[in-house]
């Protein structure tokens, strides 16, 4: 069976892709299980695994043009940014974890009585990785790189909207010498292939990035099957707090990029922008100017700032949220309309006169829609920033160190950016509080999620040391 994968620039079919279902997941898990239980990957030295991962990173860099084109044509992402950021970033992530593969250590325990103990950190086993469509390459390696370094084997289900680069990565992994069965890619839909991974009795862990609604289903399936551990990164409704002492031009740049980068299809998007009343009017004016100057169009055109939304369903969902905003009484300052005759293009959209009870403030839109709100005091800003079921990211723009310190410790979110936004790095752990999920991607914290701790204890007789 196959399904069509669509070009969001035109709504036309790019190609047909294999449609994996429960049986295909079973085959992939069997391959991964065999590679883990009997194959060389978890048994080879960390430096040997690291060497193959470095080779894969080299191959990704050698093929940067082709992979960037796949993510642009399949996901509507800007070709120039894929080439400059996403694809080299994947290679950098692989190298970071390749360097950590031979540094996985346990601890020696100073136990009471006549006992000696130590811990082993062992790979957790077969990992099911379910990734979203907004950053197909980044998410693939955000999950796969630490799992591979740990000695795990994987079954990866890319989003059905963006399967093409994942297939190419499986091909490159083979060329890099990664043994058969270690990295398996199964394309398919969430309700079939994704559900099969979540409920599979022979998968030892699931890692997922996507919606809260799907995260709940994955957790329930993991609990009902073999109680496999789960890491979830479930999006957000992230607040950006801009204080009166902020540099207006810098604040406008940060707020605009924080929301409209990758056409607003970004989990950490600064979709709730709170501006202190002293600079509110000036900042609103600057943001509207930036939105109006944004060039929306073909992601292969270097002059374009914003490509199409990833698929028709997402495009229609965003437009329906914009209509909600208008109906609820928010003021549409700019944007809000479909661009062009074909494809899934939406103008950068900014609402003001927004309050916390509106749907556009409460729910994740995952598109180019910003809500602007005014505040008086720091205490009020903190309270309103925390008035959400989510807790993924947040931002503060201020020159006052005391304000930055107080606010960063008061906001309940997994990431706080001060005078910057979307400042990701492979060494910096990233994940959510509250309904934005749990577990961390990036950093050594991510590596630890793919390792079990085993304690080994033996009696020790007549030791002179206790």
């Amino acid at each position: 069976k196959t399904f069509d994968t669509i070009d969001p620039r035109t709504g036309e079919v790019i190609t047909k892709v294999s449609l994996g279902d429960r049986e295909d997941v079973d085959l992939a898990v069997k391959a991964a299980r065999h590679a883990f239980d009997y194959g060389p990957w978890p048994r080879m030295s960390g430096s040997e695994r690291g060497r193959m991962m470095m080779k894969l990173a080299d191959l990704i860099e050698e093929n940067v043009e082709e992979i960037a084109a796949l993510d642009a044509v399949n996901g509507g992402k800007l070709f120039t940014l894929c080439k400059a950021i996403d694809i080299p970033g994947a290679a950098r992530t692989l190298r970071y974890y390749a360097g950590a593969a031979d540094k996985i250590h346990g601890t020696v325990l100073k136990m009471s009585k006549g006992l000696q103990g130590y811990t082993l950190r062992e790979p957790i086993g077969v990992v099911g990785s379910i990734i979203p469509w907004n950053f197909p390459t980044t998410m693939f390696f955000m999950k796969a790189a630490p799992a591979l370094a740990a000695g795990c084997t994987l079954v990866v289900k890319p989003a059905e909207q963006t399967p093409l680069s994942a297939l190419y990565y499986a091909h490159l992994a083979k060329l890099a010498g990664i043994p058969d069965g270690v990295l398996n890619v199964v394309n398919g839909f969430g309700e079939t292939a994704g559900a099969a991974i979540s409920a599979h009795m022979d998968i030892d862990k699931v890692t997922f990035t996507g919606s809260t609604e799907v995260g709940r289903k994955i957790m329930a399936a993991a609990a009902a099957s073999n109680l496999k551990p789960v890491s979830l990164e479930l999006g957000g409704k992230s607040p950006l707090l801009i204080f009166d002492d902020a540099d207006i031009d810098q604040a406008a740049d940060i707020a605009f990029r924080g929301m409209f980068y990758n056409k607003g299809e970004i989990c950490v998007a600064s979709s709730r922008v709170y501006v202190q009343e002293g600079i509110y009017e000036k900042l609103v004016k600057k943001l509207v100017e930036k939105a109006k100057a944004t060039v929306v169009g073909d992601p292969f055109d270097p002059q374009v700032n914003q490509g199409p939304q990833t698929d028709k369903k997402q495009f229609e969902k965003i437009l329906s949220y914009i209509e909600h905003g208008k109906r609820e009484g928010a003021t549409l300052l700019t944007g809000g309309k479909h661009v062009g005759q074909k494809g899934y293009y939406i103008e950068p959209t900014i609402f003001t006169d927004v309050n916390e009870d509106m749907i556009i403030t409460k729910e994740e839109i995952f598109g180019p829609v910003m809500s602007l709100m005014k505040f008086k005091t720091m205490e009020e800003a903190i309270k309103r920033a925390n008035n959400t079921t989510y807790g993924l990211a947040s931002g503060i723009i201020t020159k006052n160190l005391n304000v930055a310190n107080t606010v960063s410790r008061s906001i309940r979110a997994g990431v706080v950016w001060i005078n910057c936004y979307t400042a990701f790095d492979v060494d910096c752990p990233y994940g959510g509080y509250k309904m934005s999920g749990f577990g961390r991607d990036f950093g050594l914290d991510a590596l630890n999620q793919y390792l079990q701790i085993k304690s080994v204890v033996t009696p020790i007789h007549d030791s002179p040391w206790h």
Side-chain angles (χ1 to χ4, degrees):
K1 287 183 283 191
T2 60
F3 66 100
D4 294 337
T5 191
I6 305 295
D7 182 345
R9 300 174 303 160
T10 59
E12 289 162 13
V13 176
I14 304 166
T15 186
K16 290 188 180 302
V17 178
S18 298
L19 176 59
D21 54 23
R22 187 172 296 280
E23 289 75 19
D24 300 284
V25 168
D26 274 341
L27 289 170
V29 174
K30 279 193 177 72
R33 185 84 259 161
H34 191 269
F36 185 78
D37 289 346
Y38 305 106
W41 188 252
R43 289 161 189 81
M44 65 176 64
S45 67
S47 58
E48 185 69 3
R49 281 200 300 275
R51 193 182 60 76
M52 289 185 197
M53 290 170 69
M54 293 280 191
K55 172 73 173 149
L56 177 54
D58 292 343
L59 288 168
I60 286 169
E61 286 180 337
E62 284 166 28
N63 292 279
V64 65
E65 291 266 337
E66 186 164 355
I67 304 166
L70 288 175
D71 279 352
V73 77
N74 206 189
K77 295 173 68 67
L78 296 183
F79 176 66
T80 50
L81 286 187
C82 284
K83 215 169 114 178
I85 297 173
D86 294 37
I87 318 304
R92 201 161 53 249
T93 300
L94 271 164
R95 291 196 179 103
Y96 175 88
Y97 288 106
D102 60 356
K103 299 168 188 72
I104 295 168
H105 306 303
T107 50
V108 176
L109 308 172
K110 188 157 175 56
M111 299 177 73
S112 59
K113 299 180 258 180
L115 298 170
Q116 174 180 292
Y118 60 93
T119 60
L120 296 170
R121 299 186 80 93
E122 299 182 343
I124 202 164
V126 177
V127 174
S129 175
I130 303 170
I131 56 174
W133 39 258
N134 58 332
F135 287 89
T137 289
T138 307
M139 294 291 176
F140 190 103
F141 288 103
M142 194 188 259
K143 310 291 191 187
L148 290 171
C152 296
T153 59
L154 288 107
V155 177
V156 181
K157 192 201 86 66
E160 54 265 31
Q161 295 87 344
T162 51
L164 297 182
S165 58
L167 293 169
Y168 199 82
Y169 291 130
H171 159 67
L172 293 183
K174 179 89 171 159
L175 297 183
I178 290 174
D180 288 352
V182 172
L183 181 62
N184 307 274
V185 174
V186 180
N187 288 305
F189 294 98
E191 52 270 26
T192 48
I197 287 170
S198 310
H200 207 289
M201 294 298 288
D202 235 2
I203 286 180
D204 301 302
K205 176 186 171 65
V206 171
T207 178
F208 169 75
T209 295
S211 71
T212 300
E213 165 203 9
V214 175
R216 279 201 172 101
K217 289 179 180 169
I218 288 169
M219 241 182 128
S225 54
N226 58 347
L227 269 179
K228 60 179 77 64
V230 174
S231 339
L232 303 173
E233 193 260 272
L234 305 176
K237 198 71 189 171
S238 299
L240 174 61
L241 278 49
I242 304 174
F243 289 85
D244 276 342
D245 63 349
D247 176 293
I248 300 264
D249 290 325
Q250 182 199 33
D253 277 346
I254 291 171
F256 194 82
R257 271 203 316 275
M259 180 59 244
F260 296 107
Y261 184 72
N262 200 49
K263 61 249 169 54
E265 292 176 351
I266 178 164
C267 313
V268 297
S270 55
S271 51
R272 295 186 296 140
V273 179
Y274 294 92
V275 186
Q276 204 159 12
E277 54 190 6
I279 57 167
Y280 182 81
E281 304 304 334
K282 284 185 190 162
L283 196 80
V284 168
K285 190 164 170 285
K286 293 249 183 225
L287 287 168
V288 170
E289 281 167 14
K290 284 180 175 297
K292 288 185 169 162
T294 297
V295 182
V296 180
D298 189 326
F300 285 96
D301 181 343
Q303 305 306 311
V304 161
N305 311 114
Q306 182 182 307
Q309 307 309 135
T310 296
D311 71 351
K312 189 177 184 202
K313 186 180 169 191
Q314 186 60 22
F315 165 78
E316 288 171 349
K317 183 179 163 190
I318 295 161
L319 288 175
S320 77
Y321 272 115
I322 291 167
E323 290 310 308
H324 270 303
K326 290 188 208 165
R327 271 201 305 276
E328 288 183 317
T331 303
L332 180 64
L333 289 180
T334 186
K337 294 194 289 293
H338 178 201
V339 179
Q341 299 307 303
K342 62 178 182 176
Y344 310 132
Y345 300 93
I346 296 176
E347 293 172 331
T349 301
I350 300 177
F351 280 106
T352 187
D353 300 318
V354 179
N355 64 53
E356 271 82 13
D357 297 326
M358 291 180 178
I359 286 172
I360 57 168
T361 327
K362 287 197 287 197
E363 295 184 15
E364 185 175 37
I365 298 172
F366 222 64
V369 182
M370 176 188 280
S371 294
L372 276 169
M373 290 165 274
K374 197 188 293 186
F375 72 89
K376 284 188 169 64
T377 65
M378 178 181 72
E379 292 71 21
E380 178 202 344
I382 291 167
K383 190 176 175 188
R384 291 173 70 186
N386 283 332
N387 184 16
T388 173
T389 57
Y390 291 110
L392 186 58
S394 57
I396 306 160
I397 305 178
T398 181
K399 292 175 182 152
N400 185 323
L401 185 60
N402 291 334
V403 169
N405 282 337
T406 302
V407 177
S408 58
R409 283 159 172 72
S410 303
I411 288 182
R412 291 186 47 70
V415 186
V416 182
W417 286 299
I418 300 172
N419 296 331
C420 59
Y421 206 84
T422 57
F424 287 106
D425 187 82
V426 65
D427 199 36
C428 183
Y430 156 68
Y433 282 29
K434 300 192 276 186
M435 281 169 63
S436 289
F438 45 83
R440 291 294 178 267
D441 291 308
F442 284 155
L444 294 179
D445 295 82
L447 182 64
N448 290 333
Q449 292 182 156
Y450 301 100
L451 295 164
Q452 295 271 32
I453 296 176
K454 177 186 281 178
S455 297
V456 180
V457 180
T458 178
I460 187 161
H461 303 292
D462 305 321
S463 167
W465 309 108
H466 287 293

